[in-house]
Amino acid sequence: MSKITFAFKRLTKKRVGRLDKKWDFDAQSAISSAPLVADIDGDNKKEIIFGTKKGRLYVLDMSAGIKWFYDSVEKVDEVELMFLDVENVGSIEAPPNVGDINGDGKHEVVFGTELGMVYVLDDKGKLVWKYKAGGPIRGQILLYDLYGDDDVKVIFGCGDKKLYVLNSKGKLVWKFDAGSPVQSTPGILHKDEPKIIFGADNGSIFCINKKGDTVWKYKTKDKVFAQPSVGKLFNDDRLFVVIGSSDHYLYVLDDAGELLWNYKTQGAILAKACLADLNNDKKLEIVFGSCDNNVYALTPYGDKLWSYETDFWVASEPIVEDIDGDGKKEVVIGSYDHNVYVLDSEGSYVLDYVPGLSGVMHQAGHYTDIITQEPGKVAGKKIWQFRTDGVIVGCAYIPDDKSIVVSTKPGKVDDVVHRKE
């Protein structure tokens, strides 16, 4: 009876309001990376930071006003141009990162480009230093105090098959040969004795120590573009690495690189999964998108909690936040079908039949009252939907006003908020 009661509660529950656009911004150039939201100048107000295909980094205030921008234009000789995509040679393919890398109490903005340049800017947009790597940089740059010496390291993968570690002044500390291009954003495993986790185009997931030595390696069957997520799935001391591959599988590995379980979708998994407690069971569920057009929510044991199908690829990272202020979290994700979806984080219980009202008919004149099948299932439930002007590259959340910043490939950035009326 408890399941039936739960079912009817889920069926009759209503969510009010709509998604409304507060503002939009035209970058006048295609955008290929998600936005980043951070307070970069210490004024307790968030900024929206993103890059364009033309190599311009924008910093906007919360009303879409331009605080400053930086043009990362480099001279390229004719020989080098023969091996480059001229249209996208300066493109910023991943979100920038923000942090105080030199211990001066002020934040720096760090980003990479298709040309292989790493730029570090101060909080006013002035160049601090730059570094030239040997290939395109397509993942977000990781900023982390790897050695606990208050010198934040700049860590990134590169198309020249290397993972780079630079110090806060832009000098090479070491680089690791992954054997194939590295387009995955690195993550950190075990903060007390940090190890770097990342994927490579040869399908490998690497775990390397702070000296650049391989601790373990796990092989998938296709390219790994996604950034790893690291978390305590079962609310105990064990850490797990969650990462998707282009081979259609989501992998969950323990901290020794052993497979706990994997989950097969019907498309490539290109973006980072979100780990969040969706149902208040003190454990972390896993939410991610796939190029089979679906958003999935899995239990930490690898069972599907629910899925929701959009009309095209889902290649951006989900956001799990309470955007309508009702005390319950929603799942926000963008799709290549031009829509931002807000989903019920717990899904919706759908009845396949009403228990007690009918038996299962096998043939004329024969029936049974014994029904072993569950009366329903949990499915993904859309609460709200907002259509943009193009393919959605990524979303970011602004906690100050509970709004969602959305970047689209044609070059528009929208700020979307829930309205109760």
Side-chain angles (χ1 to χ4, degrees), residues 191-213:
K191 293 181 179 180
D192 53 344
E193 187 60 36
K195 299 173 182 65
I196 304 170
I197 307 284
F198 64 96
D201 283 12
N202 61 11
S204 295
I205 301 165
F206 288 96
C207 176
I208 60 177
N209 64 24
K210 59 187 180 182
K211 296 179 181 179
D213 301 320

Side-chain angles (χ1 to χ4, degrees), residues 91-238:
S91 178
I92 300 169
E93 293 289 311
N97 210 341
V98 170
D100 179 8
I101 70 171
N102 54 16
D104 65 354
K106 297 179 181 179
H107 281 156
E108 286 75 43
V109 179
V110 186
F111 67 99
T113 71
E114 188 72 7
L115 189 58
M117 299 297 299
V118 174
Y119 295 88
V120 176
L121 313 177
D122 68 16
D123 60 355
K124 300 295 189 293
K126 182 180 178 181
L127 180 68
V128 178
W129 56 259
K130 60 184 178 181
Y131 179 90
K132 179 73 165 69
I137 300 167
R138 294 174 179 164
Q140 187 182 34
I141 293 174
L142 172 67
L143 304 177
Y144 195 79
D145 185 0
L146 197 60
Y147 300 103
D149 57 1
D150 295 325
D151 185 271
V152 175
K153 300 301 182 286
V154 177
I155 307 167
F156 60 93
C158 184
D160 66 359
K161 306 180 183 181
K162 305 293 193 299
L163 181 96
Y164 286 77
V165 176
L166 311 180
N167 68 16
S168 63
K169 299 182 186 300
K171 303 299 181 184
L172 179 68
V173 179
W174 51 261
K175 55 186 175 181
F176 174 86
D177 188 351
S180 72
V182 180
Q183 302 186 65
S184 167
T185 298
I188 293 292
L189 177 65
H190 288 304
K191 293 181 179 180
D192 53 344
E193 187 60 36
K195 299 173 182 65
I196 304 170
I197 307 284
F198 64 96
D201 283 12
N202 61 11
S204 295
I205 301 165
F206 288 96
C207 176
I208 60 177
N209 64 24
K210 59 187 180 182
K211 296 179 181 179
D213 301 320
T214 301
V215 178
W216 53 258
K217 181 173 71 171
Y218 184 90
K219 195 74 164 60
T220 75
K221 296 178 181 179
D222 207 341
K223 296 179 180 180
V224 179
F225 297 115
Q227 180 180 1
S229 297
V230 177
K232 297 179 179 179
L233 297 182
F234 300 99
N235 194 29
D236 53 26
D237 292 334
R238 296 174 296 164

Side-chain angles (χ1 to χ4, degrees), residues 230-242 252-254 260-261 275-277 281-286 298-303:
V230 177
K232 297 179 179 179
L233 297 182
F234 300 99
N235 194 29
D236 53 26
D237 292 334
R238 296 174 296 164
L239 276 175
F240 294 92
V241 177
V242 181
V252 176
L253 311 174
D254 66 18
L260 180 66
W261 52 261
L275 309 182
D277 184 0
D281 65 353
K282 308 301 182 184
K283 297 180 177 67
L284 297 180
E285 282 72 45
I286 302 164
L298 309 182
T299 72
Y301 303 97
D303 302 313

Side-chain angles (χ1 to χ4, degrees), residues 267-299:
I269 301 168
L270 303 179
K272 184 180 181 181
C274 180
L275 309 182
D277 184 0
L278 301 183
N279 50 18
N280 298 315
D281 65 353
K282 308 301 182 184
K283 297 180 177 67
L284 297 180
E285 282 72 45
I286 302 164
V287 186
F288 65 99
S290 170
C291 291
D292 65 3
N293 306 351
N294 279 278
V295 185
Y296 292 89
L298 309 182
T299 72

Side-chain angles (χ1 to χ4, degrees), residues 385-398:
Q385 180 177 342
F386 179 85
R387 185 166 181 83
T388 68
D389 294 329
V391 166
I392 294 172
V393 179
C395 305
Y397 179 68
I398 304 179

